[in-house]
Amino acid sequence: MTSTTLHTKRLDYKPRRPDIFKTSIKNLAYETKSSIKSELTIAQLQEFFPSSIQKTPIRFIRQKQVQKQAKEQTKKITTPLSELRVGVILSGGQAPGGHNVIAGLYDGLKQLNTQSILYGFLMGTEGLVKNKHIELTDTLIDRYRNTGGFNIIGSGRTKIETPAQFESALQTVQECKLNGLVVIGGDDSNTNAALLSEYFIAHECSCVVVGVPKTIDGDLKNKYIESSFGFDTATKTYSELIGNIARDASSARKYWHFIRLMGRAASHITLECALSTHPNIALISEELLNNGSSLKEIINTITQVIIDRAQNGDYFGLVLIPEGLIEFIPDIRSLITEINALLADTRIKNFTTTEKRKSFVQKNLPSKLKEVFASLPSHISTQLLQDRDPHGNIVLSQIETEKMIIEMVNVELNSRKQKNKTVSPEIPFSHVAHFFGYEGRSAFPSNFDSNYCYSLGLCACTLIYNSLSGYMATIRGLANSTKQWEAWGIPLHSMMTIETRKGAKTPVIKKALVELNDKAFRYFERNRKSWALSSDYAVPGAIQYSDDEIGNTITHTLALEFPSPSHKKTQNHTKK
């Protein structure tokens, strides 16, 4: 790609690293920690992960600390490997910082032994299955440091599921003589990593498999994973755009902006952007499901805020909408379940036009859902009939929820104008729809993500060096200063739950949804009423890359949920 001034500057940025990695990986040991309570029973774990049951979280420490730890709880490498051969995979959607994970892994390997080799498998796990790879060199790595995207080797969504795929992956690992394989991805990709680790062990293959937590959605987190990488950069990118729109709305004073935000199922992105920009309305899917809110109730709430603001002379506003909203509204959720069943009906395949398919669905829905289906705008009911993804899920990025809400709010507002004399017929409702998704996936990573991802790469290298397979590389203490960050390995199997996929019980890493008792949501809950009527929006501005207090801010979510006096807890805001 053509270099710009910022691009050139970012290539020269030296990521901050934790103190633990300011010494050679050879000088590190690890201590074991208490087992994580898994949702799966021992019997279920035995079925899928027989070699991983005894694995517990580990924390890396310097060897000079070993004498201070109980000997039975502390391990250190006794047969260090010399030259290492490692493969790396980028899997799933892009997330800012992926290149730095690879850079950290590469630098760690070269520091251990300059003859170590890192292979990049092309276009995700497909490259592993088909043995399509390139050797990553100094020249190539240096072209991608601190940059966004996954274009150094590409990414893909192929899952390793069939016996033939597992066999091909094993053959590739053996042909390349790999000591380690690093899978950089989200919950599904890391589930694949766990299963690959088990498969290799069962077939007496010594290749260590390590996962790295990636997803801008923020739904790969738990007690030990404080944040997935890319979330910081993506939410700052979206918040900049939302803040710009807020400034524009406050200037024009005549447009309501409805902004749908990427995030698949969870509302973490929407919540973080709300904390960063103070919109008039932010819908949190998990809360709506918990409250049993119907679509009509949601529309009524938004309509009332529009009316209340109009009474103050404010004919503008901002509404944030999570991508996965429709699957969390109880009546729409039930509707989708019924539609999925009807789409599997062989009779519907006889109808070649959309209208005939709609008619078939409408006729065969339970009576309570017929009214819900009929109330939807035509383009939305059409989108609900589109083909599903390989897992049978609606392709949410194609469902224009923001336009559905605009149309239904407009209908409700006009109805109130006609029926309710207290609602002025002069209230204007000019609206603009937006969808922010791909804009945030490949931005130049923030300093936080640059540092975090580089540290994750070093941690993955350390796990491989210590022959610890079936672990996820994890950095903890992220709200502290970088030098205080801790390097951990968390057993992948400990994050699993069981889902039914393609008719079979399958272990998968559980998606983390917004928890209504978490401090981040509770802070939002305390402030949203005042934000609804106020136009005192926060305008965060563009991501700053200076290596100072402004350039090293962290997300509100991280600061609220893992408070630390040693780190700036909130982003700097430029108020209206």
Side-chain angles (χ1 to χ4, degrees), residues 493-540:
H493 78 270
S494 65
M495 309 175 201
M496 300 289 180
T497 186
I498 295 291
E499 291 184 6
T500 300
R501 293 189 175 181
K502 297 181 180 179
K505 297 292 184 180
T506 306
V508 294
I509 292 178
K510 184 178 181 180
K511 289 183 182 294
L513 302 179
V514 170
E515 293 290 343
L516 304 186
N517 289 324
D518 281 354
K519 292 179 180 178
F521 177 79
R522 287 163 59 191
Y523 180 87
F524 163 75
E525 189 177 33
R526 290 195 301 271
N527 287 277
R528 62 178 166 189
K529 186 174 290 187
S530 63
W531 294 347
L533 298 182
S534 169
S535 300
D536 189 23
Y537 305 115
V539 183

Side-chain angles (χ1 to χ4, degrees), residues 296 299-300 303 375-377 404-419 429 431:
K296 183 173 180 57
I299 298 303
N300 286 340
T303 304
S375 72
L376 297 175
M404 174 188 80
I405 290 177
I406 287 172
E407 191 169 330
M408 297 183 76
V409 165
N410 198 31
V411 170
E412 177 63 23
L413 186 59
N414 288 332
S415 175
R416 293 196 192 190
K417 288 178 181 179
Q418 295 172 5
K419 297 178 181 178
F429 179 51
H431 45 77

Side-chain angles (χ1 to χ4, degrees), residues 129 230 294 336 346 508 512:
V129 172
S294 67
I336 291 171
T346 55
V508 294

Side-chain angles (χ1 to χ4, degrees), residues 126-324:
E126 180 180 345
L128 177 66
V129 172
K130 296 183 178 180
N131 198 2
K132 294 182 178 181
H133 65 269
I134 58 173
E135 182 178 344
L136 300 176
T137 62
D138 287 350
T139 301
L140 188 58
I141 291 289
D142 288 346
R143 285 171 50 194
Y144 290 94
R145 293 180 186 272
N146 310 303
T147 62
F150 280 2
N151 46 318
I152 187 171
I153 52 175
S155 182
R157 296 187 181 275
T158 299
K159 286 187 173 56
I160 299 177
E161 298 175 304
T162 67
Q165 287 175 315
F166 277 100
E167 185 177 345
S168 294
L170 176 61
Q171 184 176 346
T172 295
V173 165
Q174 291 172 334
E175 289 178 0
C176 294
K177 300 178 181 179
L178 296 186
N179 304 110
L181 177 68
V182 178
V183 179
I184 303 171
D187 51 314
D188 281 340
S189 301
N190 276 283
T191 296
N192 240 183
L195 295 172
L196 275 172
S197 175
E198 287 294 324
Y199 186 84
F200 289 169
I201 292 172
H203 288 77
E204 300 182 346
C205 174
S206 61
C207 180
V208 172
V209 182
V210 172
V212 176
K214 173 240 46 158
T215 172
I216 67 166
D217 299 352
D219 59 4
L220 181 51
K221 70 176 187 177
N222 51 45
K223 177 182 176 182
Y224 287 93
I225 303 172
E226 297 173 359
S227 179
S228 53
F229 81 75
F231 179 76
D232 184 274
T233 304
T235 53
K236 285 175 179 173
T237 300
Y238 299 142
S239 294
E240 176 197 353
L241 298 173
I242 295 166
N244 294 346
I245 288 173
R247 182 81 74 182
D248 190 274
S250 300
S251 302
R253 305 187 69 79
K254 61 181 179 180
Y255 295 114
W256 272 88
H257 293 268
F258 290 73
I259 305 168
R260 177 166 52 105
L261 293 162
M262 188 171 273
R264 183 55 203 172
S267 303
H268 296 292
I269 287 178
T270 298
L271 178 58
E272 175 61 29
C273 289
L275 296 174
S276 296
T277 61
H278 307 172
N280 304 107
I281 299 170
L283 302 176
I284 304 300
S285 300
E286 293 86 342
E287 180 189 24
L288 297 174
L289 177 62
N290 182 71
N291 294 344
S293 302
S294 67
L295 179 58
K296 183 173 180 57
E297 289 171 335
I298 295 168
I299 298 303
N300 286 340
T301 298
I302 297 173
T303 304
Q304 190 59 52
V305 173
I306 292 172
I307 293 170
D308 292 343
R309 286 181 59 80
Q311 290 174 345
N312 294 331
D314 295 329
Y315 305 118
F316 63 95
L318 270 67
V319 181
L320 303 188
I321 303 164
E323 184 180 40

Side-chain angles (χ1 to χ4, degrees), residues 33 40 51-52 127 170 183 204 308 398 460 507 530 568:
K33 294 293 184 177
L40 302 185
S51 70
S52 301
L170 176 61
V183 179
E204 300 182 346
D308 292 343
Q398 297 178 13
S530 63
K568 185 174 178 61

